């Protein structure tokens, strides 16, 4: 399994997500650790070749 490296406040930010969003993000992160692709992602060429940003959107209270 690949390790995760959280930068800056990203781990604290993740911990402050609502329960549903935190579970969904955790599922996506686990998939990446296992060598799978996230269900929705965008390339991040500014970080480096092969870098990807997982995209998760959640509608809260209909907003």
């Amino acid at each position: 399994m690949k390790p995760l490296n959280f930068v800056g406040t990203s781990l604290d930010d993740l911990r402050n997500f609502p329960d549903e969003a935190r579970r969904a993000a955790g599922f996506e992160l686990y998939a990446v650790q296992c060598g799978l692709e996230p269900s929705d992602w965008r390339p991040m060429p500014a970080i480096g070749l092969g870098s990807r940003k997982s995209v998760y959107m959640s509608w809260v209270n209909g907003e």
Side-chain angles (χ1 to χ4, degrees):
M1 185 177 296
K2 297 177 184 180
L4 292 175
N5 295 312
F6 291 92
V7 178
T9 63
S10 58
L11 181 56
D12 290 330
D13 295 340
L14 178 62
R15 289 177 175 153
N16 288 320
F17 281 12
D19 289 343
E20 180 183 339
R22 192 171 61 243
R23 277 192 293 275
F27 177 81
E28 295 291 336
L29 292 171
Y30 180 74
V32 171
Q33 283 186 284
C34 293
L36 303 172
E37 290 191 359
S39 60
D40 189 8
W41 61 271
R42 294 183 184 138
M44 295 180 67
I47 303 297
L49 285 176
S51 297
R52 297 176 179 158
K53 174 182 180 178
S54 180
V55 179
Y56 175 75
M57 295 183 67
S58 176
W59 296 96
V60 178
N61 296 327
E63 297 178 13

